[in-house]
Amino acid sequence: MGDSREAGAEAPPAGASAQGGLSLLSQGESEEPSAQESDLFLGGSEVKSRAVVKYSSAPPRTAFARLEEKTDLKLPPANWLRESAKLGPAGTTILGNSKKSKPFSSFGMAYDFIDSVGNDVDVVSDSENIKKLLKIPYSKSHVSMAVHRIGRTLLLDELDIQELFMRSSQTGDWTWLKEFYQRLIDQKWQRKKKSKEHWYQKAILSKFLYYSINGDGAAQPVPSAEEQESSSSGQARDPSGASWPAPFEMPSSVSEDPSASSQGLKNDFVRNILWTFEDIHMLVGSNMPIFGGGRYPAVSLRLRDNNKPINVLTGIDYWLDNLICNVPELVMCFHVNGIVQKYEMIKTEEIPNLENSNFSTKVIKDIAQNILSFLKSNCTKEGHTYWLFKASGSDIVKLYDLTTLCEETEDKYQNPFTMPVAILLYKVACNMMMKKNQNKKHYGTIRTLLLNCVKLLDKSRHPQIIASANYMLSELFQLDEPKKEESSESPLNENSDESYSEEEEEMPDSDENGSYSTSSDPSDDNKAVAIIKSVGELSVPEKYKSIHQIRPSCAFPVCHGTEERCRLVLSYVLEGLKSVDSSLKKESDLPAADPSTPIPLKYEDESTGGSPEGLEKQMALFLDKMGSLQKSNYSSQSGMIPGTWQHKMKLQLILKSSKAYYVLSDAAMSLQKYGRALRYIKLALQSHDTYCCLCTNTFSEVLLFLSQYLTLCGDIQLMLAQNANNRAAHLEEFNYQTKEDQEILHSLHRESSCQGFAWATDLSTDLESQLSVSCKCYEAANEILQFSDLKNQNPEHYVQVLKRMGNIRNEIGVFYMNQAAALQSERVVSTSVSSAEQQLWKKSFSCFERGIHNFESIDDATNAALLLCNTGRLMRICAQAHCGAGDEFKREFSPEEGLYYNKAVDYYLKALRSLGARDIHPAVWDSVNWELSTTYFTMATLQQDYAPLSRKAQEQIEKEVSEAMMKSLKYCDVDSASARQPLCQYRAATIHHRLASMYHSCLRNQVGDEHLRKQHRVLADLHYSKAVKLFQLLKDAPCELLRVQLERVAFAEFQMTSQNSNIGKLKTLSGALDVMVRTKHAFQLMRKELAEEFDQPKSDGTSPAVDSSPSLNREEVIKLLSIFESRFSFLLLQSIKLLSSTKRKASSNIEEDTVLKTNKHIYSQLLRATANKNTALLERIDLLVHLLDQLARGGGGPGWRYGRCKHQTTAQR
């Protein structure tokens, strides 16, 4: 039966005719797959029957020869029991010489039509078994059938107690069932021999059928009765000589080709028909011969003894056979003592109305529905063998669970159905798994099928099936699902009406009237799962209503988290690995894993392994190994032979374990459990290392996995480096190992040392080492993408790897830069730059440069700008290092400083060019601008404070300082509202202050060029004004504001010295006093801060003796206050002198008198106040504020003077 059984052909239409008679489908042929449905209307009721031939191995239909009257059927025809071209290879089977079912016939069909099992079909069985069940209420004969459940499908097979117990007497295999049978059912059992009449009738039928296909054949001498019995009984038995296989005669390779076994699991039926009877779908095997010819396109041929009328059982038998095979007519040949009398043609729909054989087709329909409902309601445990039994002459039908009874014996594997059932469960699950487009909704069913398959098998005898089943169980859990699928909307978490639990108990009685039960009535059998107390109940319509409610829904196991899902996967992987390893018979070569003892791992000395040089060597070895993968080097330690099922299965299981550990590591990473994440990624890489040792041809997908693993490993090492404070907890998590992990690792160690990635997964305590390892992981991940065309096939992953490479190189560059800065701060001032610092600069610069290249290669302008910014910062650190190298007293701004600051400026400008515009990334843009402004400002400040007069002229230095300050102002954004705005305002105010001071100084030192002096005077006044405006915007810079104002007063005083006329001096003096009045804002800010500082300790109940403010430098305040009091006093005195002299020379002016009087009053108060050295700071400030208020009011007189003077001064300028 090596033909394909998916032809989908149907029974021929009733009206079809063929030249030379009716024909059966020849082997390998298929008919038109148009569905034909027979709707028979009998007695006013309708019975729906539809038959589709799925496969047929019959030869072309043979026209039956109408035998002449008086033909003696006792004489054999010439072709009797001989092969014929008309019959084909299935000749003797077609002619019905053997009606006996084989014990595993339903399994043979199920294997061939695996798509139908478990889902679409309700029953798979031999047509003889179907007929026997439907005749139960009419027949007194015994019924003995084995029932198995696969999904929603029931497999029915004849359980021949006679032959079974005869075998038990010979082998002792079924003694437990024989004892059970004798104890509860038939205490005096003995084998019943069939009568000679039985063999005579079989021989007559066989000869009649051979005559019918070869009417002109000559008669042969009739064999003796003994020969007839021996030949007929020989044909009735399985030609293999063993209808019942001994337990475990099935080879372990059955999973590869179970249908090829010689243990009776073949599909030996001539026809496999998908028969729909009402709402029941059955896959039926039939050997009924179908003839045809002339005006009879399809008929069944029957031989009847004219002296014995047709009874109900015979009528039902004929009717069902024709329905199943979709044959419209029946031809009956009547004989008397073997002599042919006549032929009679009967239509199929007329059979139920024959005389003496009258039966209701509706009752047959009800019987079918009730029996199916009874079986499905009680045969609930998948993988169990149930026994449906009715004793001869009895009305009671009982259902036993033979698996449960067998488990009570010493050897629970004595059930010969165990292996075929397990194989079928496995094959159905495989078939469902292959349907990628719809298998998710069947995950619950698949899991149940596989778990029951594993439960049935002995691990030591069937490692291949168990390993494969466990692998499929692990495949049910998708490790790479998006996280949203873990929600309640996921099909994995829904209750599937196609799934059920292997743990569930028997269904409760579905019959409302309790017509079958498992009660403990003494007359009942308490070993039975269920009992039909009277076969008459089967004829009652809908007596058992559970046909559509036979399977409670059960959810696929809901995994509440990624870790739980992965742990479940790893448990199945471990079971699969154990099965593979046990089949290799090499366990003695390696010590067994002790669950209480961790497996010793090889660690290298940190002094070499963690150093950059050691890492370089390990990376070189790794890359060599990656290159060798392309050459298919195979290096298993256990000696597994490539291509064997163990090799293939272990590869798949190891790859699955590596994926599971990778997902676990990723989940731990997101929970910030970095020690646990490193442990899991180490196991993932160890699994992958073993895979590479076993693999003879590495696929690009596997290389991509490795690149992803190394990328994650690099992430973990980086996070461990950044979270050094919690190192002890991370180390504890890293060293912890579950028993499951140990056992998986033990299986890996059978094949490989698992040390290929030790360089990447050790937990170091050295920050530099961790950063280096992280970088090497990313570099290795990138190298893998270069081996094949993976980077083009996976552009997103490639971009992520390069981003991480750029980031880690930035981290390492910053690390070396900070180390260099630390060395610089520890270095004694005036000593030259050390070689250690220079080495750190080079390392840092190299990292930044490569990182910039990484980001630029993927057009990541923002990150490239950040690294350029960091490079600029490195250049500034180099400049600062040269700044400290020299004598502080002879300090000058050196060329080296200028060189490095200019390099820093170049890198910042490159960063701005990289960004292009502020809109791309405003925060980065502002940051780069700030750093650029700072660089210009620092460079200008150093040139101003430590002017290189030995190398440059004063004018050139002033020009360079002015240019640098203005560029700093250009990149200092004082207008945009941001967190950095106060800093920008302070910076801009400071720049203006410094420029004003510089021009003020130039004016003091300038001799000669009046135009240049005037220019400096205007610029100084301009920058002082801008500085004051900016400082007034700040609330935390009162000292700076006061200092600028005092410098402005000093500037006015300097101008006054060059003036000759009293009027000019008075105007300048009035302007200076006006500046003094404007310092009131600075004093108010100081007073507010000092008052808050003074009040805070009081509120806390502590001593108020706090002499300094955190925001104000008290000493500086006192110093500035003293200067202010001195200059204020001086200006008032000069004002009084000038006003007095003016009064003597000119006529009296009331306003000037008022001003003079006010100034004298203020001056006297100021003198008295300054004379008292014990006055508190707050009181001094309060007094000055009060005096400035008086000065501002001026009694109405000074206002015009100050205003006029101010306007005149402005006009002069």
Side-chain angles (χ1 to χ4, degrees):
M1 301 290 288
D3 310 282
S4 168
R5 299 182 181 275
E6 298 296 333
E10 297 198 359
S17 61
Q19 185 68 31
L22 296 175
S23 64
L24 291 167
L25 283 177
S26 63
Q27 192 163 9
E29 286 185 13
S30 65
E31 294 190 357
E32 290 295 324
S34 58
Q36 176 181 349
E37 189 168 320
S38 303
D39 289 339
L40 305 180
F41 297 89
L42 306 170
S45 65
E46 180 182 342
V47 176
K48 294 180 181 178
S49 173
R50 182 172 184 264
V52 178
V53 178
K54 300 289 283 184
Y55 172 80
S56 175
S57 63
R61 287 205 184 108
T62 305
F64 78 92
R66 185 184 288 268
L67 303 183
E68 296 179 359
E69 284 189 43
K70 308 302 179 183
T71 299
D72 189 353
L73 297 177
K74 293 190 291 294
L75 298 175
N79 63 342
W80 190 40
L81 303 182
R82 294 177 185 173
E83 290 185 4
S84 165
K86 291 182 180 180
L87 295 177
T92 55
T93 309
I94 292 173
L95 297 186
N97 292 338
S98 174
K99 276 197 175 183
K100 179 176 177 56
S101 295
K102 293 186 179 181
F104 298 102
S105 60
S106 69
F107 288 91
M109 281 192 287
Y111 289 159
D112 285 342
F113 299 99
I114 204 73
D115 271 341
S116 302
V117 177
N119 189 22
D120 302 327
V121 172
D122 296 298
V123 176
V124 178
S125 186
D126 182 352
S127 61
E128 297 300 317
N129 295 331
I130 300 291
K131 292 189 293 182
K132 191 177 289 186
L133 282 178
L134 299 186
K135 292 188 294 187
I136 282 180
Y138 301 95
S139 172
K140 292 296 182 182
S141 61
H142 89 288
V143 175
S144 175
M145 290 189 195
V147 185
H148 296 90
R149 181 185 188 133
I150 307 293
R152 68 178 288 248
T153 303
L154 297 177
L155 275 66
L156 305 179
D157 293 280
E158 183 180 1
L159 193 63
D160 190 335
I161 295 295
Q162 303 284 329
E163 188 170 346
L164 192 67
F165 292 167
M166 180 181 70
R167 178 179 179 83
S168 175
S169 302
Q170 298 169 358
T171 65
D173 288 337
W174 286 79
T175 52
W176 61 274
L177 183 58
K178 184 177 180 181
E179 291 170 3
F180 169 75
Y181 181 84
Q182 289 178 326
R183 185 171 73 252
L184 292 178
I185 298 169
D186 188 355
Q187 296 180 358
K188 299 179 180 178
W189 175 85
Q190 55 183 345
R191 190 181 181 209
K192 300 178 179 66
K193 292 185 178 181
K194 294 183 178 178
S195 63
K196 287 187 178 181
E197 176 66 19
H198 170 79
W199 301 120
Y200 170 73
Q201 292 296 338
K202 284 184 73 67
I204 285 288
L205 174 62
S206 177
K207 292 168 187 173
F208 165 68
L209 291 173
Y210 274 93
Y211 271 122
S212 297
I213 62 168
N214 192 23
D216 57 350
Q220 297 288 326
V222 179
S224 64
E226 290 77 9
E227 287 173 346
Q228 287 180 20
E229 179 174 347
S230 63
S231 64
S232 299
S233 62
Q235 294 154 17
R237 291 179 187 152
D238 191 330
S240 65
S243 296
W244 285 95
F248 291 110
E249 287 183 0
M250 192 72 63
S252 63
S253 61
V254 70
S255 62
E256 295 175 4
D257 190 11
S259 61
S261 168
S262 62
Q263 301 300 315
L265 296 185
K266 291 183 180 179
N267 181 358
D268 284 334
F269 293 105
V270 174
R271 265 175 238 93
N272 299 131
I273 301 163
L274 192 59
W275 180 42
T276 303
F277 185 58
E278 286 295 315
D279 57 351
I280 303 171
H281 304 283
M282 292 175 266
L283 182 62
V284 182
S286 172
N287 292 327
M288 185 182 79
I290 300 176
F291 294 86
R295 59 191 182 91
Y296 308 122
V299 296
S300 58
L301 198 56
R302 302 287 182 173
L303 181 66
R304 292 296 304 170
D305 190 334
N306 206 20
N307 297 326
K308 297 178 182 178
I310 298 176
N311 58 25
V312 173
L313 293 176
T314 306
I316 293 173
D317 212 48
Y318 292 172
W319 182 69
L320 287 174
D321 266 335
N322 277 17
L323 276 190
I324 291 170
C325 295
N326 213 12
V327 175
E329 292 178 294
L330 163 70
V331 175
M332 294 214 316
C333 175
F334 293 91
H335 73 97
V336 175
N337 295 326
I339 306 300
V340 174
Q341 301 294 316
K342 63 176 180 176
Y343 282 83
E344 185 175 336
M345 179 75 72
I346 305 169
K347 291 186 177 181
T348 301
E349 60 264 33
E350 294 172 357
I351 296 175
N353 300 319
L354 292 178
E355 188 179 354
N356 298 321
S357 176
N358 197 315
F359 61 90
S360 167
T361 57
K362 188 175 183 302
V363 170
I364 301 296
K365 176 199 74 172
D366 293 334
I367 293 169
Q369 290 177 336
N370 281 327
I371 288 177
L372 181 63
S373 181
F374 171 77
L375 291 175
K376 285 201 169 185
S377 298
N378 295 287
C379 301
T380 56
K381 294 183 179 179
E382 203 166 39
H384 281 224
T385 298
Y386 293 91
W387 180 28
L388 185 72
F389 180 78
K390 182 178 88 72
S392 297
S394 172
D395 281 347
I396 299 173
V397 181
K398 298 180 180 180
L399 185 70
Y400 297 96
D401 184 349
L402 291 187
T403 302
T404 304
L405 296 174
C406 181
E407 286 172 352
E408 297 171 2
T409 64
E410 292 182 3
D411 185 359
K412 70 174 184 177
Y413 297 109
Q414 273 207 2
N415 182 355
F417 284 103
T418 297
M419 189 64 192
V421 171
I423 295 299
L424 188 54
L425 289 169
Y426 174 78
K427 286 177 72 71
V428 172
C430 283
N431 187 59
M432 287 185 172
M433 285 286 284
M434 295 301 288
K435 296 175 182 176
K436 296 290 185 185
N437 56 339
Q438 59 176 2
N439 64 353
K440 273 199 173 184
K441 67 178 182 178
H442 297 308
Y443 274 5
T445 305
I446 296 170
R447 177 175 177 269
T448 307
L449 290 167
L450 292 171
L451 288 174
N452 285 325
C453 168
V454 171
K455 193 186 296 182
L456 288 174
L457 296 173
D458 183 0
K459 292 182 180 180
S460 62
R461 298 174 180 177
H462 307 284
Q464 183 178 0
I465 307 174
I466 289 175
S468 184
N470 276 293
Y471 174 68
M472 281 198 290
L473 281 166
S474 74
E475 280 289 293
L476 290 176
F477 297 86
Q478 298 300 315
L479 296 175
D480 52 353
E481 288 175 347
K483 289 184 169 54
K484 65 180 181 181
E485 290 195 16
E486 293 179 12
S487 66
S488 59
E489 297 177 5
S490 168
L492 295 187
N493 295 339
E494 290 178 356
N495 282 346
S496 167
D497 57 2
E498 295 296 329
S499 61
Y500 58 96
S501 169
E502 72 282 359
E503 317 279 326
E504 67 191 4
E505 297 300 323
E506 294 85 2
M507 290 283 293
D509 298 338
S510 59
D511 176 38
E512 296 171 358
N513 303 320
S515 54
Y516 68 87
S517 65
T518 55
S519 64
S520 57
D521 189 284
S523 63
D524 290 339
D525 182 357
N526 60 6
K527 292 285 187 180
V529 172
I531 296 173
I532 298 176
K533 294 179 180 177
S534 170
V535 293
E537 295 176 351
L538 294 173
S539 303
V540 179
E542 297 186 1
K543 185 67 177 175
Y544 307 109
K545 300 178 182 178
S546 63
I547 186 165
H548 297 302
Q549 302 172 357
I550 51 159
R551 294 174 59 198
S553 63
C554 168
F556 186 78
V558 178
C559 297
H560 297 290
T562 303
E563 183 160 1
E564 187 180 348
R565 185 168 71 241
C566 292
R567 278 289 161 201
L568 209 50
V569 167
L570 288 170
S571 68
Y572 293 132
V573 167
L574 177 58
E575 290 303 314
L577 288 172
K578 285 180 177 177
S579 297
V580 173
D581 291 342
S582 67
S583 71
L584 291 172
K585 307 297 182 186
K586 294 273 186 178
E587 203 65 43
S588 58
D589 296 350
L590 289 166
D594 182 3
S596 62
T597 306
I599 294 176
L601 302 177
K602 299 175 182 177
Y603 290 98
E604 293 189 13
D605 183 6
E606 286 188 4
S607 62
T608 58
S611 67
E613 294 77 11
L615 279 175
E616 291 294 343
K617 291 178 182 176
Q618 291 172 340
M619 271 295 292
L621 291 172
F622 163 74
L623 293 176
D624 286 344
K625 181 175 182 179
M626 291 308 302
S628 70
L629 284 180
Q630 312 300 309
K631 302 172 186 176
S632 305
N633 286 348
Y634 178 78
S635 58
S636 168
Q637 293 179 357
S638 68
M640 260 197 310
I641 301 170
T644 59
W645 74 263
Q646 289 100 331
H647 178 254
K648 294 175 183 175
M649 184 53 62
K650 193 156 190 176
L651 274 177
Q652 294 301 317
L653 290 166
I654 289 173
L655 190 60
K656 190 71 178 180
S657 72
S658 73
K659 290 180 188 177
Y661 282 127
Y662 168 72
V663 175
L664 279 171
S665 180
D666 190 45
M669 179 79 171
S670 63
L671 294 173
Q672 299 182 355
K673 303 288 185 183
Y674 304 123
R676 186 192 308 173
L678 186 61
R679 167 164 55 90
Y680 284 140
I681 202 65
K682 179 173 185 174
L683 287 164
L685 287 168
Q686 286 175 322
S687 299
H688 201 284
D689 188 32
T690 306
Y691 181 92
C692 292
C693 289
L694 294 178
C695 196
T696 55
N697 186 17
T698 307
F699 299 101
S700 59
E701 180 191 15
V702 177
L703 288 175
L704 178 62
F705 289 151
L706 179 56
S707 180
Q708 291 170 342
Y709 298 168
L710 287 167
T711 304
L712 180 59
C713 188
D715 293 347
I716 296 166
Q717 291 284 11
L718 176 58
M719 297 312 297
L720 284 167
Q722 293 178 348
N723 291 268
N725 295 337
N726 207 15
R727 195 182 298 278
H730 295 322
L731 186 62
E732 183 179 352
E733 285 185 335
F734 176 68
N735 289 327
Y736 174 78
Q737 248 189 354
T738 65
K739 179 183 176 184
E740 196 173 66
D741 294 340
Q742 289 179 24
E743 290 181 336
I744 289 175
L745 198 54
H746 174 71
S747 180
L748 299 179
H749 275 276
R750 289 173 57 89
E751 314 301 336
S752 163
S753 64
C754 302
Q755 292 299 307
F757 299 97
W759 56 271
T761 54
D762 283 344
L763 181 55
S764 174
T765 56
D766 178 53
L767 181 59
E768 181 182 0
S769 174
Q770 284 179 319
L771 291 173
S772 298
V773 167
S774 178
C775 186
K776 294 301 177 188
C777 286
Y778 295 138
E779 288 174 2
N782 185 44
E783 287 291 339
I784 290 166
L785 294 176
Q786 309 296 331
F787 273 117
S788 50
D789 201 29
L790 281 175
K791 69 175 183 180
N792 295 326
Q793 296 169 11
N794 304 275
E796 290 182 8
H797 177 61
Y798 178 63
V799 168
Q800 287 301 316
V801 170
L802 283 181
K803 274 192 176 182
R804 283 167 162 79
M805 282 175 67
N807 179 59
I808 191 63
R809 284 169 172 165
N810 178 54
E811 292 286 338
I812 297 173
V814 169
F815 171 77
Y816 287 136
M817 182 168 65
N818 291 339
Q819 277 197 323
L823 278 179
Q824 178 185 318
S825 63
E826 294 169 4
R827 174 161 49 87
V828 179
V829 181
S830 81
T831 56
S832 59
V833 179
S834 65
S835 60
E837 283 181 78
Q838 292 177 341
Q839 287 299 319
L840 289 170
W841 295 343
K842 289 178 182 177
K843 287 181 180 179
S844 180
F845 181 76
S846 173
C847 289
F848 287 142
E849 201 171 37
R850 285 186 287 172
I852 291 165
H853 175 71
N854 291 144
F855 286 125
E856 287 178 345
S857 66
I858 55 173
D859 299 323
D860 189 343
T862 305
N863 281 317
L866 285 171
L867 262 74
L868 285 164
C869 198
N870 278 339
T871 313
R873 185 178 160 220
L874 175 65
M875 296 299 107
R876 285 161 58 192
I877 287 175
C878 296
Q880 289 165 15
H882 286 90
C883 163
D887 189 354
E888 185 66 25
F889 299 104
K890 299 177 183 178
R891 171 88 169 90
E892 280 190 358
F893 185 73
S894 65
E896 290 83 3
E897 290 177 81
L899 174 68
Y900 282 116
Y901 277 122
N902 282 315
K903 282 186 176 180
V905 166
D906 289 342
Y907 282 113
Y908 288 130
L909 290 173
K910 279 183 183 177
L912 289 177
R913 285 197 296 271
S914 175
L915 288 172
R918 186 175 186 273
D919 298 340
I920 294 176
H921 203 299
V924 177
W925 177 271
D926 292 344
S927 177
V928 175
N929 269 286
W930 173 254
E931 295 296 331
L932 183 54
S933 172
T934 304
T935 306
Y936 277 125
F937 177 72
T938 306
M939 187 162 56
T941 303
L942 288 171
Q943 281 184 293
Q944 190 176 14
D945 294 347
Y946 305 101
L949 294 171
S950 63
R951 294 182 291 110
K952 294 180 182 178
Q954 179 74 32
E955 292 79 6
Q956 186 183 354
I957 294 171
E958 289 170 359
K959 183 182 177 183
E960 289 179 1
V961 169
S962 177
E963 288 176 354
M965 287 293 189
M966 295 311 293
K967 286 179 180 176
S968 180
L969 272 175
K970 176 185 174 183
Y971 296 105
C972 189
D973 184 6
V974 295
D975 300 321
S976 301
S978 65
R980 194 180 274 123
Q981 189 182 24
L983 283 174
C984 290
Q985 290 171 342
Y986 185 85
R987 166 76 52 76
T990 307
I991 290 172
H992 284 301
H993 180 199
R994 278 186 163 269
L995 286 172
S997 298
M998 184 181 76
Y999 290 128
H1000 185 178
S1001 175
C1002 290
L1003 192 61
R1004 283 177 179 274
N1005 301 324
Q1006 189 78 33
V1007 179
D1009 192 344
E1010 188 58 34
H1011 175 72
L1012 196 57
R1013 284 176 59 80
K1014 185 178 179 181
Q1015 186 179 3
H1016 285 164
R1017 184 168 56 248
V1018 171
L1019 287 171
D1021 192 51
L1022 175 67
H1023 286 296
Y1024 275 134
S1025 300
K1026 289 184 176 180
V1028 168
K1029 285 180 182 178
L1030 288 166
F1031 276 129
Q1032 283 177 337
L1033 295 173
L1034 302 169
K1035 295 180 180 180
D1036 56 352
C1039 292
E1040 288 81 350
L1041 177 57
L1042 183 57
R1043 187 180 291 109
V1044 173
Q1045 296 286 40
L1046 287 172
E1047 285 191 23
R1048 289 184 76 186
V1049 170
F1051 182 61
E1053 291 178 9
F1054 172 72
Q1055 284 182 289
M1056 197 167 62
T1057 58
S1058 62
Q1059 291 174 329
N1060 297 321
S1061 68
N1062 286 345
I1063 294 174
K1065 288 183 178 181
L1066 190 58
K1067 288 178 182 178
T1068 306
L1069 195 60
S1070 298
L1073 284 172
D1074 188 41
V1075 171
M1076 283 289 191
V1077 171
R1078 296 178 189 278
T1079 58
K1080 176 184 166 184
H1081 178 64
F1083 285 121
Q1084 286 175 332
L1085 291 175
M1086 286 182 186
R1087 190 194 183 290
K1088 184 181 178 182
E1089 289 195 38
L1090 289 169
E1092 287 176 357
E1093 172 199 344
F1094 185 77
D1095 292 339
Q1096 187 66 31
K1098 284 186 176 180
S1099 64
D1100 294 342
T1102 58
S1103 170
V1106 178
D1107 209 30
S1108 65
S1109 168
S1111 58
L1112 279 179
N1113 186 333
R1114 196 179 182 87
E1115 292 180 1
E1116 187 178 6
V1117 171
I1118 294 172
K1119 181 180 177 182
L1120 289 171
L1121 209 56
S1122 299
I1123 296 171
F1124 183 84
E1125 288 171 344
S1126 170
R1127 302 328 298 163
F1128 192 24
S1129 174
F1130 173 77
L1131 290 176
L1132 285 171
L1133 180 60
Q1134 293 299 315
S1135 173
I1136 293 168
K1137 287 180 180 180
L1138 285 171
L1139 284 171
S1140 297
S1141 65
T1142 304
K1143 183 179 179 183
R1144 285 195 297 270
K1145 291 178 181 179
S1147 59
S1148 176
N1149 188 310
I1150 297 173
E1151 292 181 3
E1152 287 184 0
D1153 288 345
T1154 306
V1155 172
L1156 178 61
K1157 186 178 178 181
T1158 302
N1159 287 357
K1160 284 181 179 180
H1161 180 65
I1162 294 171
Y1163 182 64
S1164 64
Q1165 289 183 67
L1166 183 60
L1167 285 178
R1168 281 195 295 271
T1170 53
N1172 186 3
K1173 301 296 183 183
N1174 298 322
T1175 308
L1177 191 58
L1178 273 174
E1179 292 177 7
R1180 290 172 68 183
I1181 293 174
D1182 286 341
L1183 177 64
L1184 288 173
V1185 171
H1186 176 66
L1187 294 176
L1188 291 172
D1189 280 339
Q1190 287 184 29
L1191 187 62
R1193 290 194 299 271
W1200 71 270
R1201 172 71 66 184
Y1202 299 141
R1204 187 179 65 178
C1205 292
K1206 181 179 179 182
H1207 291 170
Q1208 287 173 349
T1209 306
T1210 305
Q1212 289 171 359
R1213 292 171 188 165

